Structure formats: C-alpha cells, structure tokens
Amino acid sequence: MLRLGRPDVKPTLRERDWWRDAVIYQVYPRSFADSDGDGTGDLPGVTARLPYLADLGVDGLWLSPFYRSPLADAGYDVADYRDVDPRFGTLADVDTLIARADDLGLAVLVDLVPNHSSDQHPWFQAAVAAGPGSPERARYLFRDGRGATGELPPNNWRSGFGGPGWTRITEPDGRPGQWYLHLFDVHQPDFDWTCPDVRAEFESVLRFWLDRGVAGFRVDVAHGLIKAPGLPDLTRTPEELATLPTHASPFWDQDGVHEVYAAWRRLLESYGPPDRVLCAEAWVSPPERMARYLRPEEMHQGFAFDFLGCRWDATQLRQVIDAELHTMGAVGAPSTWVLSNHDVVRHASRLGTADPGPVTGGIRAGDPQPDRALGLRRARAATLLMLALPGAAYLYQGEELGLPEHTRLPDEVREDPVWVRSEHAHAGRDGCRVPIPWSAQAPGFGFSPTGATWLPQPPEFAEYAADAQDGVPGSTVELYRAALRLRREHRLGRGRLAWVSAMSSEVLAFDTCGVRVMVNLSSETAALPDGWSVICQSGPLESADAVPVDTAVWLAPARTCG
Ligand code: NOJ
Ligand code: MG
C-alpha cells in the first residue's frame, strides 16, 4: 500500500506534487548490490540497502529495468513487461522492496520501455510466425524491402548504436522475407504505436505496476514512439542534424507522441493523490520542444540533458540553466536536473577530461585518461550547484561516493551493444555500470557475498567504498548527506533563482530561498561576500573568506552576536 501523502512520511512526500522538488536515486539493479553471490546485483540486494538510501536523504529511487529479458541491451530489451528476470529476483521481491521503501518514506519509480521490446517477446515471436500482413505483424514496424527482390532495407535509417536500423527476417516458409525496424539493437524491434493493441497493452502494463504500488515511471526513449508517416528516408547529414531541431529526424520527437502521454497522464491521475509521475527520457532540442512533453496534461518531469552535457564553463552553464528554467517554467513544469546516469561517462570522470562535454561513447585504456582529482573536485562542485537549483534532481548510484568511470576495462569483458555495433569505434557504457564498492576490505568490495562481480572493478574503487567514507568529515558521501539535508530544510527545490552579479563572469552566484550559492569556475580564488557564512562546501576552503577554484559553497546570512 503506497503511503506517499500520509502525514507520517517525510514532509516532501506528504504533498500531492511531491515530485516537483524530489531527489530520486537511480538504481541500476545489475550493479547495485548482489544478495545471492552470483555476481549480478538483484532486487533483494536493493532492498537490503534501502536504509542506506533513506539515510542519504533522497526522496525515492528509480529502478532501471529488472524485467524478464535476454539482456541484449542490459534489460532495455524486455521479453515480459509483467515479470522479473530470474537473475534479478521475483515479483514477490518487488513487492517486498516496495513495502520496505514505503516504510522508509521512499517512492519507487520503475523504468518503462515502450519504444521497443526484446525479439524474445511473445508478440515479436508471433509476428515472425504469422507472416506478412497479419495483425501480429502490425504491432511492429515490418516492411517489404526495396530492390527487385526486396533485398534492400525499406529506408536508410540507422540504429542509434551503429549499423543499419533494419534487419531482414526469414519467413516461416524459409524464404528471405520482410524487414523490421530497430532504432537500437537488432534484438530490440520497434513497436508500431499507431496500432491500438500496442496502446492498450502499455496502458495495462502501467496499471500492473501502479497496482503494485509504484509511484511512477521513467519513460525510456520517450521521444521515439511515433515515426513520420510513410517512414521517409532521412535526408539530412549528421552535420546538418547537429544544428537542427531533433524532429528533423523522421523518427524522433514527432508530434504524435504527445497524445500517448496525455492518455497515460489521465490514467495516472486516477491513482492519485498523491500524484503518480512520468519522467521523460527524451533527448530533444531545442528546450521549447522538450517543454511540450511537460505540459500540464502530459508528463511531470523530463531530464535536463543539456545540463548534463554542458561544459565546465560558467557562461554556458548559466545559459543552460536559464533556458531550462524559463522554458519549463513557461509550461508550469519543474526542471529535472541530472549529471550522471547509466548511459554517460560518470561526471567525476567526465569533468576531469580535457574537453568535459557530453562524453557518451565511453573511455578505453588507450584513450587519454581523466584527471581523477580534478574530476572529483569539479563533480562535487557541480553536484552542489545542481542540488541548489529549483526543481527536481536525479542521482546515479555511486555518484554519492564520487565514483569514477572504470576507464580501463579489458575490451573482452565489454557487453554494451554500443561497443559491438559501432565495431569498436566507441567503448560504450560498461565503464559507468561497474558494480558498486560498499566495503573497502571485502572481496568484490562488498558488492556480493562471494566477491563475484559481473564486470571487474578497478583497484582504486577501494578508496571510494561506502564504508571508507561513512562518518568521515569531508568525504563525498557526507557531502551528499549534508547537501540533501540542507536542501530539504531550505526547500531549495521549490526556490526561485536570482542571479547575483559576481566579481568575475567565471563565478556563478545566485540567491534562492535565503541561501546564496557560489560556484567558482575561474582560475583564481573568489572572495566570499561580507555578511554570509558557509553552510555547505564542496571542498576545503584555504581561508575563511575565499572560495577556491572548482569549488562551490552554499552561504547563509551570518548571525551577528550581541
Ligand atoms: C535509453 C536507455 O537509457 C539506454 O540504456 C538504452 O540503451 C536505450 N534507451 C534503448 O532502450
Ligand atoms: Mg545476484
């Protein structure tokens, strides 16, 4: 039974619109905590660590997919939307997890993957078996090929992971047959969202999880469900696309997606109050197009990926923050900040590279290696900036430990389809998915009782282990705990940001909820203003009146004695 909204839970979760300033912690179940010793994280492992999350001070967690899946794309290839993969546990384990989270006042969001299923999904298997023109095929995007014998793909679309976006099947009679679209891996056929079966099925899946007590859904590839009618060729070059709105691609951000989310919103409303939420994973630009997903009758949150991808540059960060607050504010939506997730290089490493922009392709041993100390210093400052901004925020497991990317994974252990389909041009995302270090001295750093880990951990993870930081003043986990506590006390997520002109354009300074925030991105120390005292700092201060380079502080008006 979902307790959100009851008077005995945390103040932020008592409100109907608790999600507007919630901090949600992303759990990647495979790599969070392993309970049974097989080296793969699982749901009982998550449940056992829920007190750690409550103690950290987050409002809830989002679980990346744990559904039945061949794990061709780490679970984003779902074979059964209503069941748990045996590697992760059982439905009873989900119920236990939700009940325990509920006791601790934590909301549980699950991942919904509506753009594509696994090729092992019974619907896809039935579609292949049923033949061209059948109702079973109409649930996916099957088309005849071009060329004299249909030997060419129906159009020129490419997979986001590299390689062609179409694969030809062998028909049940053994002849070469139709092609199916997969915007991602060959094992992830795209649904046809113009088919009523697909819409009805996903509404039923939403109800299945809402009835089990989830507080909402992170919606995978939310901008991809609808394709331009007729599936026209992509006529733009990659260089042109980089400068055009996302919907210049005939498979992204098509207007038809919005009626899907409006229908889901109505469905979710029937479960509240408090609100059950939809969070869009939509890589859409410009921000005005992103805001369309967050209109009052659609989704509640959408990740601010422009913030995640922004360079460590005060002017650019300020522009991104202003654009985000302005465009989301115009539709009454909170901004939803994020710095790391399971698809990008961890921000503690990204910000330690020579060009800390959007690093999504991964880092290999032979590549220039990030500066760990620089990256961590900036990451802690970036986090303090993020947690002071008005709106909601998502954290990715391990970032509260300052965990770096594993940048020297042996190539032979890489599993990400990005690595395979890019023909090794991109390292892929395995480096940010390495099992979490809980305990510096234990085998596998305490990830699993046997010490087994599905990906190897680098030896330096010992320094970042949770138990090595617990209670240690100045440690990253203690910084997160302090920042989350102060954020809640001051209700920073509900604030209004007012920029303060700083001494340098490379110092970001703003006031919100009576707190002044300063982030020094310049190459010199920045003086602290008179009349304010430090209540939270991302790193050591060399003197009481100055903020060091790559450091952020939160300030409160100084109390005067006497
Ligand atoms: C976005 C997910 O975050 C990513 O991990 C996945 O590979 C793609 N969507 C395809 O589902
Ligand atoms: Mg396990």
Side-chain angles (χ1 to χ4, degrees):
M1 170 73 184
L2 191 65
R3 272 204 327 185
L4 289 173
R6 289 212 210 138
D8 54 335
V9 301
K10 284 190 232 147
T12 43
L13 298 189
R14 262 185 230 154
E15 292 156 18
R16 179 189 178 124
D17 60 352
W18 57 276
W19 44 273
R20 286 186 173 276
D21 61 342
V23 178
I24 306 289
Y25 183 101
Q26 180 189 356
V27 170
Y28 194 72
R30 197 179 187 185
S31 302
F32 187 63
D34 175 26
S35 72
D36 59 6
D38 65 355
T40 295
D42 44 47
L43 296 176
V46 179
T47 302
R49 299 285 182 181
L50 288 174
Y52 167 85
L53 297 186
D55 182 52
L56 187 63
V58 297
D59 301 300
L61 55 151
W62 144 39
L63 292 161
S64 275
F66 49 76
Y67 312 110
R68 197 174 277 277
S69 164
L71 303 189
D73 181 21
Y76 285 92
D77 49 317
V78 180
D80 185 342
Y81 290 88
R82 296 181 187 78
D83 201 4
V84 177
D85 195 273
R87 283 165 283 198
F88 298 130
T90 62
L91 277 175
D93 292 330
V94 181
D95 294 341
T96 306
L97 189 160
I98 293 174
R100 183 79 182 106
D102 200 32
D103 288 342
L104 293 165
L106 295 168
V108 178
L109 277 69
V110 293
D111 218 309
L112 188 75
V113 190
N115 181 67
H116 45 261
S117 70
S118 161
D119 61 356
Q120 300 303 306
H121 191 287
W123 276 15
F124 188 76
Q125 305 266 301
V128 172
S134 60
E136 288 84 355
R137 261 189 205 186
R139 295 165 173 161
Y140 292 90
L141 288 159
F142 281 90
R143 293 291 182 274
D144 293 332
R146 294 195 276 204
T149 58
E151 74 282 10
L152 299 172
N155 70 25
N156 66 354
W157 298 359
R158 310 273 301 166
S159 152
F161 292 158
W166 294 89
T167 292
R168 193 172 196 187
I169 61 159
T170 303
E171 296 295 349
D173 64 7
R175 281 187 297 187
Q178 288 195 301
W179 299 70
Y180 67 90
L181 178 70
H182 50 90
L183 290 182
F184 294 93
D185 192 66
V186 58
H187 300 297
Q188 292 169 297
D190 280 49
F191 285 114
D192 185 342
W193 271 87
T194 65
C195 172
D197 284 4
V198 174
R199 294 190 186 222
E201 171 66 1
F202 273 91
E203 294 194 6
S204 154
V205 168
L206 287 174
R207 288 187 189 283
F208 180 85
W209 293 105
L210 289 165
D211 289 341
R212 291 199 109 83
V214 305
F217 303 87
R218 174 267 192 190
V219 180
D220 189 64
V221 201
H223 57 314
L225 273 47
I226 299 289
K227 281 74 179 175
L231 312 185
D233 271 339
L234 176 63
T235 54
R236 308 290 194 165
T237 64
E239 294 72 33
E240 286 172 330
L241 289 174
T243 64
L244 289 167
T246 310
H247 62 279
S249 292
F251 38 83
W252 296 140
D253 191 28
Q254 302 296 303
D255 288 342
V257 294
H258 295 289
E259 67 183 36
V260 174
Y261 303 130
W264 291 4
R265 176 70 175 247
R266 289 193 293 275
L267 190 157
L268 262 67
E269 299 275 326
S270 70
Y271 281 79
D275 296 336
R276 300 333 191 243
V277 304
L278 297 167
C279 176
E281 190 239 3
W283 297 80
V284 167
S285 67
E288 290 73 18
R289 290 288 298 193
M290 186 63 212
R292 290 157 55 93
Y293 291 75
L294 305 180
R295 290 174 289 192
E297 66 280 8
E298 292 194 35
M299 302 176 110
H300 303 75
Q301 303 175 327
F303 295 116
F305 287 129
D306 288 348
F307 179 71
L308 181 152
C310 191
R311 291 187 160 66
W312 189 241
D313 174 276
T315 307
Q316 290 184 37
L317 274 169
R318 184 170 165 161
Q319 275 166 4
V320 165
I321 292 167
D322 277 340
E324 177 65 28
L325 289 175
H326 176 76
T327 42
M328 303 313 144
V331 291
S335 295
T336 301
W337 310 103
V338 60
L339 284 165
S340 280
N341 63 33
H342 64 294
D343 290 331
V344 300
V345 171
R346 286 179 172 279
H347 70 286
S349 296
R350 204 169 68 227
L351 296 173
T353 58
D355 180 20
V359 185
T360 54
I363 299 175
R364 289 170 75 189
D367 295 332
Q369 295 294 298
D371 178 331
R372 269 207 285 145
L374 176 71
L376 181 56
R377 197 160 64 239
R378 290 182 171 174
R380 290 166 52 126
T383 295
L384 225 47
L385 165 64
M386 173 172 85
L387 292 178
L389 293 171
Y394 279 67
L395 310 178
Y396 177 49
Q397 65 181 35
E399 72 167 78
E400 79 283 10
L401 307 174
L403 203 65
E405 186 88 356
H406 190 342
T407 55
R408 300 180 319 280
L409 270 177
D411 286 344
E412 56 278 14
V413 303
R414 294 188 185 281
E415 290 201 4
D416 186 1
V418 168
W419 165 248
V420 180
R421 289 188 66 87
S422 73
E423 294 176 343
H424 305 178
H426 300 295
R429 303 163 293 180
D430 295 304
C432 63
R433 301 174 175 180
V434 173
I436 294 296
W438 291 99
S439 169
Q441 302 303 327
F445 302 125
F447 169 72
S448 145
T450 56
T453 61
W454 72 277
L455 280 175
Q457 301 157 306
E460 65 268 18
F461 267 25
E463 294 166 41
Y464 301 87
D467 70 347
Q469 300 193 35
D470 192 28
V472 177
S475 69
T476 306
V477 83
E478 293 301 341
L479 170 67
Y480 273 71
R481 284 179 182 144
L484 289 167
R485 193 186 63 245
L486 286 164
R487 173 187 161 91
R488 190 189 302 273
E489 274 169 30
H490 293 270
R491 293 309 299 268
L492 295 180
R494 300 268 174 163
R496 287 179 69 87
L497 174 151
W499 294 106
V500 176
S501 53
M503 38 320 278
S504 151
S505 61
E506 293 172 83
V507 177
L508 291 175
F510 58 88
D511 288 343
T512 177
C513 302
V515 172
R516 176 159 298 180
V517 177
M518 282 178 67
V519 191
N520 185 1
L521 294 100
S522 78
S523 49
E524 298 162 9
T525 50
L528 277 171
D530 288 338
W532 296 83
S533 48
V534 174
I535 56 168
C536 197
Q537 60 196 65
S538 70
L541 306 183
E542 288 137 28
S543 73
D545 57 2
V547 187
V549 172
D550 293 330
T551 301
V553 291
W554 293 357
L555 309 168
R559 287 209 197 100
T560 45
C561 305

